[in-house]
């Protein structure tokens, strides 16, 4: 009986730990900072993402995300908006730093703690 109780506690604690990580990831991430950013990356609780940048002529993309572990997220882009012609990118792995920033390519995105107003692309 004690053995079953111990296993039950381990399962409950591992589920709650994963939930806390997921909950802490949801939100807006800005580059280079959230006061005056060039790019914003949004992780939504429904496992979708939205990315917008003014760099390279500006573009936006939307898709789904999946947590692969404590330090990796897999992105799958489903839609792109750009004035230039872009090919749909392959699935991408981004990294969660120990400070809970997101490393996308060579850029570090910091989590925003204030409300951000976004203008929608067409």
């Amino acid at each position: 009986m004690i053995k079953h109780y111990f296993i039950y506690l381990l399962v409950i604690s591992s589920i709650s730990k994963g939930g806390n990580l997921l909950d802490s990831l949801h939100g807006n991430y800005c580059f280079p900072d959230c006061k005056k950013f060039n790019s914003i990356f949004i992780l939504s609780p429904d496992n979708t993402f939205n990315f917008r940048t003014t760099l390279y002529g500006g573009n936006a993309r939307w898709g789904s995300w999946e947590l692969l572990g404590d330090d990796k997220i897999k992105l799958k882009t489903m839609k792109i908006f750009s004035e230039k012609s872009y090919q749909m990118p392959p699935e991408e792995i981004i990294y969660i730093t120990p400070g809970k920033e997101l490393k996308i390519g060579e850029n570090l995105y910091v989590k925003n703690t204030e409300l951000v107003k976004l203008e929608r692309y067409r």
Side-chain angles (χ1 to χ4, degrees):
M1 173 102 167
I2 292 175
K3 181 179 176 182
H4 294 292
Y5 181 72
F6 181 69
I7 292 172
Y8 176 75
L9 285 176
L10 283 175
V11 169
I12 294 297
S13 68
S14 67
I15 290 171
S16 65
K17 276 179 118 177
N20 290 338
L21 176 60
L22 281 175
D23 292 342
S24 71
L25 288 176
H26 303 151
N28 304 331
Y29 295 82
C30 311
F31 173 79
D33 61 56
C34 292
K35 293 194 186 296
K36 186 169 181 169
F37 57 88
N38 295 327
S39 303
I40 187 163
F41 184 80
I42 302 168
L43 287 177
S44 298
D46 65 355
N47 284 59
T48 59
F49 76 88
N50 180 342
F51 174 80
R52 178 181 163 208
T53 187
T54 58
L55 300 173
Y56 315 111
N59 66 60
R61 62 185 175 131
W62 301 266
S64 62
W65 64 275
E66 175 186 351
L67 183 63
L68 297 179
D70 289 343
D71 65 347
K72 293 180 189 171
I73 297 173
K74 179 171 67 171
L75 303 178
K76 182 175 182 181
T77 300
M78 308 299 267
K79 183 178 177 184
I80 296 177
F81 171 80
S82 176
E83 295 295 328
K84 298 178 182 179
S85 176
Y86 280 101
Q87 184 177 5
M88 196 68 70
E91 291 181 352
E92 177 182 9
I93 303 294
I94 63 173
Y95 298 90
I96 306 164
T97 68
K100 300 300 182 210
E101 298 167 321
L102 297 181
K103 186 169 184 186
I104 303 173
E106 295 300 315
N107 300 326
L108 280 180
Y109 286 70
V110 295
K111 190 164 187 181
N112 184 29
T113 56
E114 300 176 15
L115 184 61
V116 174
K117 183 179 179 184
L118 292 176
E119 295 178 22
R120 290 189 60 102
Y121 281 96
R122 298 175 213 169

